Amino acid sequence: MSKLKIEGGNLLTGTINISGAKNSAVALLPASLLCFTKSKIYKVPKIRDIEYLLKILKILNCTYEINNDEIEINTKNLKNAPIPEELSEQMRASYYFMGTLLGRFKHVEISFPGGCNIGARPIDLHIKGFEALGATVTKIKNKYIIDAKELIGTRIYLDFASVGATINIMLASTYAKGETIIENAAREPEIVNVASYLISMGCKITGAGTSTIIIEGGKKLDNGVTEVFPDRIEAATYVILGALIGKDLHIKGLIKDHINAVLIKLKDVGASFTVNPGEIIISKCEEVLPTKLVTQVYPGFPTDAQQPFTVLLTQANGTSTITENIYESRFVSANLLKQMGAKTKSQKNILTIKGKTPLKGAKNIEVPDLRGGAALVLAALIAKGTTTLTNISLILRGYEDIVEKLTNVGAKIEIIE
Ligand code: UD1
């Protein structure tokens, strides 16, 4: 079994280039099925989730050509088929095949999606949305069978501004007759990225990026083309790393506005950085201040960056708290940091971090989830001594070339067998 071996303490200097966003790319690939002949996506990250999605595309009789980070997908011979559980359970985003196959074929068979174990993560809002469009959803054990005679546009109010439900309903409604209005829609950049792809295929969509999205469905779509937005969570992770142990560390190819909430919080805790177009330059923050952090839907502080930020707060002089409002069990990595010397305590959705604590290397810490894994990598990079992490496939699911990117800026990190 592969492990990550990390020796901490090296100041990191040089440039880290940000890849295409995992959470956009995993929605854009399934969205391609809405096209009748072909589509093209630029800047697709080479991560495990994409490998699994491509396997699903093959099952659905699509072909594709990969050229560096570009993927051209041919959907001429697309056929509907049940999506096997061993693939759908590999990642959360397999649920986007519900929206696209329902749109194209009015019939879907798929098992409950997988993904990181960070809370209950129901998909009731997706299902309610499909039902509102006219579908019937039957659940047999772990399997969903979704059918519709036809889909008809309607007004859908989301009880919670869910990223997945917003995108999934948008996907299905492209082939619903008439107008669909999604109210209390999520506003994350991933939604704008998917909407722009659908618009390039010929769908009329307005309001993506706001709380009300209007989709005019029913038109045959084709020839989609888009570029995956830069990964805002990868960018946030490496900017936080810069505040921990950077020396003029350049984080390049990001969209600053997508990580504003994280940058504002970094300033609050005393970090300073330079913003150039598409780039942030950051060095180690010598005196980290404690803070109160609250995760929220976009444009609030992203839950996905909460775990890496926790590592920074272990270095703050004083007590910080993090209130997690999106998921109920997202403090597993924070508790694992105790093995490295951190003083963390979680109670319900509030985490308390007492600093400042020097961190020390630890052996065989099991990565609990993707972003928690990233947090442990950050902790290992500032710790004294050597850390080994197991279950690292969870990190490779979402961070393209993480070992190469960190090695290039001076980190001592390698995958060992
Ligand atoms: C997406 C991201 C994930 C990120 C999250 C919040 C992908 C593949 N994953 O996950 O990295 O952490 O957005 O930014 O893009 N909920 C329901 N019912 C539903 C749907 C969601 O109760 O039908 C709840 C969830 O349990 C969670 C909250 O709503 O508590 C947010 O979920 P959602 O925004 O849907 O996140 P995901 O799309 O799963």
Side-chain angles (χ1 to χ4, degrees), residues 216-289:
E216 270 181 40
K219 212 176 130 194
K220 202 169 163 182
L221 306 178
D222 213 348
N223 296 309
V225 58
T226 198
E227 181 174 303
V228 182
F229 283 178
D231 196 314
R232 63 193 172 97
I233 304 301
E234 188 199 21
T237 304
Y238 290 135
V239 174
I240 294 166
L241 176 63
L244 280 164
I245 196 150
K247 188 177 172 219
D248 283 335
L249 186 65
H250 291 233
I251 316 297
K252 230 185 176 119
L254 47 75
I255 297 177
K256 183 219 155 228
D257 282 354
H258 288 178
I259 56 166
N260 264 339
V262 177
L263 296 179
I264 289 167
K265 216 57 208 167
L266 279 169
K267 273 197 181 153
D268 274 2
V269 301
S272 59
F273 45 85
T274 308
V275 182
N276 291 331
E279 178 188 63
I280 284 172
I281 306 167
I282 185 159
S283 295
K284 180 174 174 176
C285 175
E286 294 297 344
E287 202 183 330
V288 184
L289 305 169

Side-chain angles (χ1 to χ4, degrees), residues 23 92 95 121-126 162-164 304 326-327:
N23 287 350
R92 191 84 192 140
Y95 54 34
R121 307 189 84 178
I123 57 166
D124 55 311
L125 300 172
H126 305 233
S162 148
V163 176
D304 287 355
I326 313 295
Y327 295 110

